[in-house]
Amino acid sequence: MDKSQILKEFSADPDKYYNVKLFQEQGFVRKACSKCGRFFWTLNADRTLCPDDGTDTYSFIGEPPTTKRFDYTQAWKQVEEFFVKNNHTSVSRYPVVCRWRDDLFFTIASVVDFQRVMGSKVVFEFPANPLVVPQTCLRFKDLENVGVTGRHFSSFCMIGQHSVPDLGGYWKDECVDLDFRLLTDQFGIKKEEVVFVEDVWSGGGSFGPSLEYFVRGLELGNAVFTEFQGELGQHSTLDQRVIDMGAGLERFAWITNGTPTAYDCCFGPINEKLFSTIGIDSDSEILKKYFTEIAKEIDNYDDLNKVRRLAIKNANITDDQLNKMIIPLEGVYLIADHLRTLIFAITDGALPSNVGGGYNLRMMLRRINGTINRLNLKLDMDDLIDTHIDYLKDTYPELDEKREDVKAILKIESSRYEESKIHMKKKAEKIREKGTPSVDELITLYESDGITPEYLKEVDAITEIPSQFYSKLSDLHQSEKKKTITALPLEDLPETETLFYKDDPMEFEAQVIKVFDDQVVLNRTSFYARGGGQEPDLGTIAGFKVVNVDKHANTIVHQLEGGVPAEGDTVLCKVDEIRRSNITKNHTSTHIINASSRKVLGSWIWQHSAFKDDDHARLDITHHSSLSDSEVKQIEDEANDMIKQNYPVNIDYYDRGTAEQKYGFRIYQGGVVPVKSVRIVSIEDKDIEACGGTHVKKTGDIELIKITKTKRIQDGVVRVEFVSGPTAFQYVKDQEVESKQKVQDDIAKQALEKLREENKNKAREQIPILLEKVLAGESGELDGITVKNKVCFTSSDSYDDYFHQNFGKKLTSKDDESAYCGIFETGPTIRVMVFSGVNSGVNAGEIAKEISTILGGSGGGDVKFAQGGGKDTSKKEQAIKKAKSMILG
Ligand SMILES: [Zn+2]
Ligand SMILES: [Zn+2]
């Protein structure tokens, strides 16, 4: 929808859309900006320009409009105190990893916390009304601005103020009144300083007016009144109108402090630590001037590098100041910002990797490492993590619990970066020769080789990072998270009664509702349909074989083989009980392996995907490295201990919101649940998941779990293959037989080896005797050697290298009409050795060459002696035949 069109329409009727009670009570006047024409509301009748164009833009730097000073964590306490005092519930932040939406990797706004997907619709579920939440949001689009502009962050705290008017909350008048009083009463900003700008918001099929509020050109918040749905002109009022006020906590802290950048008052003591490392004073006049210039120009140009150059010029920054102050300072801010984001993301279970959302995290850590190297900083990462968490833990206690996990993950990732440097260095040299790469080429370099533009800048392969690089990269990795929807003409059919969630009879009667081709729909069924990684049940319906079962929305479709019953028939159905029992054991085992892996490996373990069939199952988990044998053993032991404890497996239904509040977002191991009533499968407090699969009643029913194989299948994902129940016992038995067989095989092999050695030793002793016989003119078969007029050939494996070497040499030196050819195996190679007396008429070199070619190798030598061979054992017979005919004629 065209936003400017909506704005035009709304601004044409300001009394209806924007004129709230506060404006009348306080005497706000409505003005049109003399520069851009936008409408705004102010108490200062002389004001002619909107906040974006105003002369007071960013004049709070060095001269804050408040008498009180609040840093980041203090600012939240002020906000929270104010809203709680005014009847709001303060809700803890939701995870930054957005497990409850399948179209987002990360939480990007506070309102996302309360959006749930139902089919194609987005609905709101608020745990309280009205409420306020300090929601950490991750956004990677402006990564190149972070550290440079003074106000862009890769993660920020959005103060979310939400109210549903029709369920006992408030609407526009009270919202704007609260926001105004938050600024003036709580933060002590003068009433005249606050300017409201008319705007609109639209997205996801709904839209509404909004009022952005500014102080000295800094947008502090935006109160959106989501009110309508449909196309402008044909729109209707939403069933559930919602207030979505989002404000940047970082900016609240900034405006009260008036520091050169928002970073100076939002990262806590970590800044001082970093500043002392690079030895600069961040509060100098020159920096205030420089960052005010940046702030003024940033909205005028798309190209950040240009903005930067302008600010350098306008603030009279010398080259020396640029290199000694600005550049190190930008680096320090970047490190503080990116590290804070990584701490939140890893705490909430995300891992840096090359796929999905993990991608942005890896990029950020590489930017940190690249900056540390470029500026030659001596920093202790663990110490920086501690400093951040110590500062933030009062507002976000969960960070404190995951402190060690965050350190472990970042350590592994950083060392990977160091390892890849040699490869990156080679690539960088090539780039330097070729000239500046394009944005697309830079993206390819990062995607296929992990080379960041920061690294290229660090080694001087490029001079500056093109703007657009990060936004383009982020676009590529934002929308990968997708789902597929299958369509079948089943709309008019009633919902199938799912007996597997009830008594679950393995034999039942049902009525045939619909038949298409070989597909049958029943009114009720115990056949579990493929879903959640669990394979379908098999069995018979009316005597016909069931070969597949799928679920389409609420209808279960059985695919039969050999025929189908008629519509309307009442049929007898039998589920393959043993198969179902095995699959069920494997499914509960998946939950157990998930819990054991998390316990053994760390809190970052999540189910990535799972598959459960009757004779095997696998669980893919999110983990940074391959598993060691000892880790596999520990996970298996842990799993079997859970079986031994014989914990009950409980299944309960909850309202989705209640389940989330009670158990947190860990329940979404298998992904988003698009229904209001959530089926929670819990094994004590060890594992609690929202799951629609079939499960055993007690963990002891599984009897045994054996992990059969593990493999790192992609960056950040490890596959654990396992068997359980009877299959596990069979596996153990097979393993025993196999290892017994292997022991026997080894013994037999050793015996054979020994026999060969003995034969060879015997053969060596035979040399003089055989020589004598051949030289005496004996022909025919002599101990596996074919002799014809002193020309000999053998391919018997009784003879080794030593024999051929000595016998051939001695024979041909004693008689110049003799010749010798031996073919023998040694290791994986078949070798050939040829000796010929001067008057034998045999060309040793030719034979060796020809035979080697047949064997897929090469040979060399001269007329008198040559050797060679090859590895193609399938050609051995052919080689023997050829050699025999060549030498014996
Ligand atoms: Zn304007
Ligand atoms: Zn499950």
Side-chain angles (χ1 to χ4, degrees):
M1 229 178 324
D2 187 0
K3 264 183 69 176
S4 62
Q5 207 48 42
I6 308 173
L7 181 59
K8 210 171 147 193
E9 174 134 346
F10 285 179
S11 280
D13 193 354
D15 280 343
K16 184 170 173 192
Y17 295 104
Y18 296 108
N19 194 358
V20 291
K21 215 160 118 195
L22 176 91
F23 294 168
Q24 296 158 46
E25 281 173 3
Q26 297 283 336
F28 272 82
V29 284
R30 183 171 186 258
K31 298 253 184 170
C33 174
S34 62
K35 200 165 170 188
C36 70
R38 286 211 298 167
F39 292 98
F40 61 92
W41 297 75
T42 175
L43 285 170
N44 176 2
D46 297 332
R47 191 178 177 108
T48 56
L49 294 165
C50 79
D52 281 341
D53 298 317
T55 47
D56 59 348
T57 296
Y58 287 82
S59 61
F60 66 87
I61 294 180
E63 193 199 327
T66 59
T67 48
K68 300 171 194 168
R69 305 275 175 271
F70 302 114
D71 75 359
Y72 179 77
T73 55
Q74 291 161 343
W76 168 247
K77 292 285 164 242
Q78 293 298 316
V79 173
E80 186 182 38
E81 184 190 288
F82 175 80
F83 280 109
V84 168
K85 202 163 61 192
N86 286 286
N87 306 317
H88 289 65
T89 305
S90 177
V91 174
S92 298
R93 77 167 176 102
Y94 282 49
V96 298
V97 183
C98 193
R99 310 267 180 198
W100 59 96
R101 286 271 296 265
D102 56 9
D103 54 343
L104 289 175
F105 288 122
F106 296 109
T107 309
I108 54 167
S110 63
V111 73
V112 169
D113 295 354
F114 316 110
Q115 291 171 334
R116 295 295 176 275
V117 179
M118 298 275 275
S120 59
K121 261 176 74 179
V122 172
V123 297
F124 287 100
E125 288 177 8
F126 291 97
N129 183 29
L131 65 79
V132 64
V133 58
Q135 183 55 44
T136 309
C137 299
L138 268 51
R139 290 186 189 176
F140 302 108
K141 252 185 155 24
D142 294 324
L143 227 47
E144 60 155 356
N145 290 351
V146 175
V148 179
T149 62
R151 61 172 145 136
H152 283 94
F153 294 84
S154 59
S155 65
F156 63 98
C157 173
M158 186 183 275
I159 303 163
Q161 172 197 359
H162 301 281
S163 161
V164 185
D166 303 317
L167 293 174
Y170 53 78
W171 192 233
K172 287 182 206 174
D173 285 339
E174 194 169 344
C175 176
V176 180
D177 186 62
L178 283 165
D179 295 339
F180 185 68
R181 286 196 287 123
L182 172 68
L183 299 179
T184 53
D185 296 351
Q186 196 78 17
F187 279 85
I189 294 169
K190 274 198 210 110
K191 292 176 177 182
E192 293 72 25
E193 297 267 18
V194 184
V195 179
F196 290 91
V197 176
E198 294 181 4
D199 204 354
V200 296
W201 181 90
S202 96
S206 52
F207 63 95
S210 74
L211 282 166
E212 297 172 330
Y213 51 91
F214 290 78
V215 174
R216 298 218 194 153
L218 184 68
E219 184 188 341
L220 289 171
N222 186 12
V224 173
F225 311 106
T226 313
E227 197 173 357
F228 305 111
Q229 63 186 351
E231 286 294 315
L232 185 68
Q234 295 139 15
H235 58 273
S236 58
T237 304
L238 285 164
D239 300 338
Q240 200 182 23
R241 295 178 299 160
V242 171
I243 284 186
D244 171 17
M245 197 298 291
L249 182 64
E250 281 79 359
R251 295 180 174 200
F252 273 72
W254 192 16
I255 199 123
T256 74
N257 283 281
T259 45
T261 75
Y263 313 128
D264 299 311
C265 50
C266 292
F267 293 140
I270 201 165
N271 275 345
E272 287 148 43
K273 201 161 256 176
L274 291 168
F275 290 151
S276 70
T277 313
I278 56 170
I280 48 171
D281 170 20
S282 74
D283 201 31
S284 72
E285 281 309 312
I286 186 90
L287 287 176
K288 281 175 192 157
K289 203 164 170 218
Y290 172 77
F291 281 107
T292 308
E293 286 298 327
I294 287 269
K296 276 184 183 161
E297 301 294 351
I298 187 83
D299 291 327
N300 298 334
Y301 301 96
D302 282 339
D303 187 348
L304 181 66
N305 295 318
K306 195 170 178 183
V307 173
R308 212 166 152 271
R309 283 194 291 270
L310 261 173
I312 289 165
K313 197 174 143 237
N314 293 346
N316 296 316
I317 303 280
T318 63
D319 279 355
D320 194 48
Q321 285 167 329
L322 178 67
N323 292 322
K324 289 203 176 127
M325 284 177 84
I326 307 292
I327 290 175
L329 201 58
E330 287 172 343
V332 158
Y333 292 143
L334 181 149
I335 294 168
D337 168 272
H338 286 15
L339 190 60
R340 186 173 74 168
T341 302
L342 285 165
I343 290 171
F344 274 106
I346 296 169
T347 294
D348 291 351
L351 278 180
S353 74
N354 252 353
V355 289
Y359 196 86
N360 295 300
L361 305 182
R362 170 164 291 171
M363 174 57 105
M364 282 203 293
L365 187 61
R366 298 212 158 178
R367 274 167 61 94
I368 292 177
N369 289 323
T371 306
I372 290 175
N373 291 341
R374 179 165 52 87
L375 299 175
N376 217 349
L377 302 175
K378 298 277 164 288
L379 297 174
D380 178 2
M381 193 76 94
D382 284 358
D383 184 36
L384 296 182
I385 294 168
D386 281 334
T387 313
H388 256 317
I389 293 179
D390 288 343
Y391 177 63
L392 294 165
K393 70 180 177 193
D394 280 346
T395 315
Y396 305 113
E398 64 280 9
L399 302 181
D400 200 19
E401 290 163 26
K402 302 289 168 59
R403 197 188 283 259
E404 295 313 313
D405 285 352
V406 173
K407 288 180 187 172
I409 297 293
L410 292 186
K411 203 161 276 162
I412 290 165
E413 263 297 299
S414 293
S415 66
R416 261 189 205 144
Y417 174 74
E418 288 302 320
E419 281 163 21
S420 63
K421 270 190 162 174
I422 302 161
H423 168 69
M424 298 201 311
K425 208 174 160 190
K426 277 190 199 141
K427 278 264 172 186
E429 268 153 27
K430 277 197 191 129
I431 290 158
R432 208 177 298 134
E433 286 162 21
K434 260 181 73 185
T436 312
S438 67
V439 175
D440 286 334
E441 282 167 338
L442 282 174
I443 285 174
T444 312
L445 274 170
Y446 181 64
E447 302 215 303
S448 54
D449 297 286
I451 300 176
T452 59
E454 271 76 15
Y455 175 78
L456 295 175
K457 203 174 152 190
E458 181 192 327
V459 297
D460 283 326
I462 58 172
T463 50
E464 56 188 27
I465 299 164
S467 39
Q468 260 93 64
F469 173 81
Y470 291 105
S471 60
K472 215 163 172 183
L473 192 70
S474 151
D475 280 348
L476 283 172
H477 290 270
Q478 198 81 39
S479 51
E480 273 174 2
K481 217 174 153 183
K482 267 184 222 138
K483 59 171 186 174
T484 48
I485 305 149
T486 43
L488 250 166
L490 298 163
E491 295 87 32
D492 301 331
L493 297 180
E495 190 173 321
T496 311
E497 188 188 345
T498 48
L499 300 174
F500 48 83
Y501 287 148
K502 295 175 179 167
D503 296 344
D504 197 18
M506 292 293 100
E507 230 181 278
F508 60 98
E509 280 191 347
Q511 206 185 354
V512 180
I513 301 274
K514 185 87 192 166
V515 176
F516 347 52
D517 300 330
D518 56 351
Q519 318 244 57
V520 172
V521 178
L522 305 172
N523 66 333
R524 60 208 288 263
T525 189
S526 261
F527 282 93
Y528 182 85
R530 174 180 288 110
Q534 179 170 336
E535 286 294 280
D537 284 338
L538 303 181
T540 58
I541 290 176
F544 302 113
K545 244 169 106 179
V546 176
V547 292
N548 193 16
V549 188
D550 271 317
K551 196 174 177 186
H552 303 264
N554 291 319
T555 309
I556 292 174
V557 181
H558 312 76
Q559 190 186 354
L560 306 190
E561 203 176 79
V564 286
E567 282 177 15
D569 280 2
T570 298
V571 288
L572 180 67
C573 312
K574 288 181 188 169
V575 175
D576 180 339
E577 207 172 333
I578 293 172
R579 174 183 162 86
R580 158 68 87 75
S581 158
N582 287 339
I583 292 180
T584 299
K585 283 174 184 169
N586 276 340
H587 196 145
T588 309
S589 299
T590 317
H591 291 217
I592 291 176
I593 295 264
N594 196 2
S596 330
S597 303
R598 195 157 52 236
K599 187 168 175 195
V600 171
L601 302 171
S603 66
W604 54 85
I605 299 296
W606 277 76
Q607 172 177 317
H608 178 263
S609 61
F611 178 82
K612 309 103 186 177
D613 206 342
D614 66 332
D615 57 349
H616 70 290
R618 61 173 181 258
L619 175 71
D620 294 346
I621 52 172
T622 54
H623 186 54
H624 47 71
S625 309
S626 303
L627 301 186
S628 69
D629 289 348
S630 115
E631 284 168 336
V632 173
K633 172 98 179 35
Q634 284 178 63
I635 294 168
E636 192 179 275
D637 288 350
E638 194 62 46
N640 284 310
D641 187 58
M642 282 176 74
I643 289 173
K644 205 172 132 206
Q645 300 299 326
N646 202 19
Y647 297 125
V649 180
N650 288 323
I651 291 170
D652 300 289
Y653 288 86
Y654 290 95
D655 174 71
R656 181 165 46 193
T658 314
E660 288 172 359
Q661 293 296 316
K662 195 169 155 85
Y663 299 117
F665 293 92
R666 269 213 178 276
I667 58 172
Y668 295 136
Q669 294 287 335
V672 171
V673 178
V675 287
K676 272 217 80 134
S677 175
V678 182
R679 187 174 184 256
I680 295 290
V681 178
S682 56
I683 306 172
E684 304 275 286
D685 58 351
K686 317 273 177 227
D687 188 82
I688 298 161
E689 298 183 26
C691 173
T694 59
H695 287 277
V696 299
K697 299 227 157 24
K698 288 187 142 206
T699 56
D701 298 350
I702 296 168
E703 294 179 287
L704 182 69
I705 291 178
K706 293 301 282 181
I707 295 175
T708 55
K709 193 180 167 193
T710 70
K711 191 177 178 225
R712 189 166 178 232
I713 53 165
Q714 71 181 55
D715 197 15
V717 182
V718 174
R719 172 161 295 172
V720 182
E721 293 178 24
F722 61 92
V723 286
S724 74
T727 326
F729 286 110
Q730 189 58 47
Y731 175 80
V732 172
K733 224 188 249 170
D734 291 349
Q735 287 287 102
E736 274 166 14
V737 170
E738 218 171 86
S739 70
K740 256 185 213 154
Q741 189 61 47
K742 199 176 171 286
V743 170
Q744 279 172 2
D745 287 354
D746 283 350
I747 292 169
K749 214 172 149 193
Q750 275 167 21
L752 193 69
E753 216 33 59
K754 207 176 153 202
L755 191 68
R756 272 196 189 144
E757 276 312 304
E758 281 169 11
N759 283 342
K760 283 170 187 169
N761 284 337
K762 254 187 231 159
R764 290 178 186 190
E765 288 161 16
Q766 288 284 313
I767 291 177
I769 303 156
L770 281 166
L771 262 178
E772 205 170 299
K773 287 183 178 172
V774 174
L775 289 171
E778 268 190 50
S779 277
E781 292 292 320
L782 290 177
D783 287 347
I785 304 174
T786 314
V787 189
K788 197 174 160 190
N789 300 328
K790 295 177 194 168
V791 177
C792 312
F793 173 81
T794 183
S795 59
S796 160
D797 61 9
S798 302
Y799 303 120
D800 65 353
D801 203 328
Y802 179 89
F803 178 88
H804 298 297
Q805 190 80 259
N806 284 277
F807 188 79
K809 203 169 171 186
K810 279 184 183 145
L811 178 67
T812 50
S813 68
K814 285 200 167 138
D815 190 325
D816 58 12
E817 283 180 2
S818 70
Y820 178 85
C821 174
I823 291 183
F824 60 107
E825 272 187 60
T826 158
T829 321
I830 302 163
R831 288 185 59 196
V832 59
M833 224 176 252
V834 192
F835 296 85
S836 58
V838 226
N839 294 317
S840 65
V842 172
N843 186 333
E846 244 169 47
I847 297 176
K849 208 172 154 193
E850 180 120 12
I851 301 308
S852 301
T853 310
I854 293 171
L855 294 167
S858 61
D862 54 28
V863 182
K864 284 162 69 183
F865 169 68
Q867 59 179 338
K871 289 198 160 86
D872 189 351
T873 48
S874 72
K875 297 280 168 60
K876 190 179 173 184
E877 282 314 307
Q878 193 191 330
I880 289 170
K881 225 173 140 190
K882 183 76 187 172
K884 208 170 172 177
S885 77
M886 278 181 91
I887 192 155
L888 297 173

